[in-house]
Amino acid sequence: MITIWGRANSVNVQKVLWGCEELNLPFDRIDAGMQYGRNNESGYLAMNPTGRVPTVVDGDFVLWESNSILRYLAMQYAPHNALYPSDPKTRASADRWLDWSLSTLQPAERPVFWGYVRTPAAERNAAQLAAAASETEKLWRVIDTHLKDRDYLEGNAFTLADIVIGAYARRWFGITELVRPALPDLERWYIGVTQRAGFQRHVAPALS
Ligand SMILES: N[C@@H](CCC(=O)N[C@@H](CS)C(=O)NCC(=O)O)C(=O)O
């Protein structure tokens, strides 16, 4: 049985939970991080010296970094599954979205999410939030353009790229105070990913 350490409202944990659902992998989840603590205890730090969530334990194998975990689970438990394509060009193309999501999208969208969802309205800095939202919007425009004439981010099937970008899209579309431009191809794709059981179970719940 796979054990996933991490609170259920963490986007990086949600990606892994959604991935398990796509792969039909049973797992146990243990709350850790923020109000649950545990991630700064020595036992946890021995597994994951970064003190961040998620961490996955699979027998005697321990792994942290959400996108690496997703790749591992797909390779280990469904090597021929389209989720992580075996064709090198399609795989590399999917991988670049995983890399881009952590290097570029998350740093841009984090202040927007924290500002609107985890900061009381009276304490928000409106100018900073507007600037952060505008930077994030530019990135969603990149994806909107990429999705023109495509059902999925890469190849002809749903892949890990759709999971990682879909998890952040849930935050972009879920913040009611945001004024979003019409991005029709992004919206069409997003409606598609919201239909998946793993999204509905682990990513759709209220932002917190
Ligand atoms: N790049 C890491 C980021 C991990 C990360 O920053 N996780 C956040 C939650 S999304 C965290 O641990 N926050 C501290 C906490 O929950 O206490 C990953 O993708 O796994």
Side-chain angles (χ1 to χ4, degrees):
M1 177 71 84
I2 291 165
T3 302
I4 300 169
W5 288 78
R7 55 190 166 80
N9 66 343
S10 146
V11 67
N12 291 311
V13 174
Q14 289 174 348
K15 291 184 235 170
V16 173
L17 302 176
W18 184 1
C20 286
E21 204 80 34
E22 294 287 344
L23 294 165
N24 290 317
L25 283 178
F27 60 85
D28 280 333
R29 189 182 61 76
I30 300 174
D31 275 322
M34 281 178 65
Q35 72 270 34
Y36 302 100
R38 306 185 81 149
N39 53 326
N40 289 316
E41 293 173 4
S42 58
Y44 188 89
L45 292 170
M47 295 190 296
N48 179 348
T50 72
R52 315 296 286 185
V53 294
T55 299
V56 160
V57 181
D58 184 12
D60 59 3
F61 181 60
V62 179
L63 191 65
W64 43 271
E65 276 297 322
S66 57
N67 291 356
S68 299
I69 293 168
L70 284 167
R71 292 180 177 103
Y72 162 71
L73 293 175
M75 289 188 289
Q76 178 73 5
Y77 291 104
H80 305 298
N81 192 308
L83 200 60
Y84 195 38
S86 51
D87 164 61
K89 289 176 182 162
T90 316
R91 175 171 288 197
S93 299
D95 264 337
R96 52 108 175 260
W97 292 112
L98 273 66
D99 293 339
W100 184 82
S101 71
L102 288 179
S103 68
T104 307
L105 182 61
Q106 185 170 34
E109 69 83 45
R110 187 189 290 119
V112 180
F113 174 77
W114 271 83
Y116 281 116
V117 178
R118 293 187 179 156
T119 306
E123 292 170 28
R124 290 178 195 155
N125 181 322
Q128 272 177 12
L129 265 181
S134 161
E135 284 308 302
T136 308
E137 181 186 313
K138 287 181 197 160
L139 303 178
W140 288 117
R141 283 187 187 282
V142 170
I143 301 179
D144 180 62
T145 303
H146 176 79
L147 283 167
K148 197 166 271 321
D149 305 324
R150 292 170 191 262
D151 290 334
Y152 302 101
L153 277 164
E154 294 301 336
N156 300 317
F158 182 89
T159 69
L160 294 182
D162 298 286
I163 292 182
V164 304
I165 302 296
Y168 296 109
R170 192 268 174 271
R171 291 154 61 122
W172 177 249
F173 286 110
I175 299 172
T176 47
E177 294 96 327
L178 269 179
V179 180
R180 287 178 295 273
L183 297 173
D185 292 298
L186 176 69
E187 283 159 32
R188 168 184 50 77
W189 164 85
Y190 179 65
I191 288 167
V193 300
T194 64
Q195 309 304 309
R196 303 188 79 91
F199 178 97
Q200 290 178 6
R201 191 159 301 136
H202 302 295
V203 185
L207 298 174
S208 67

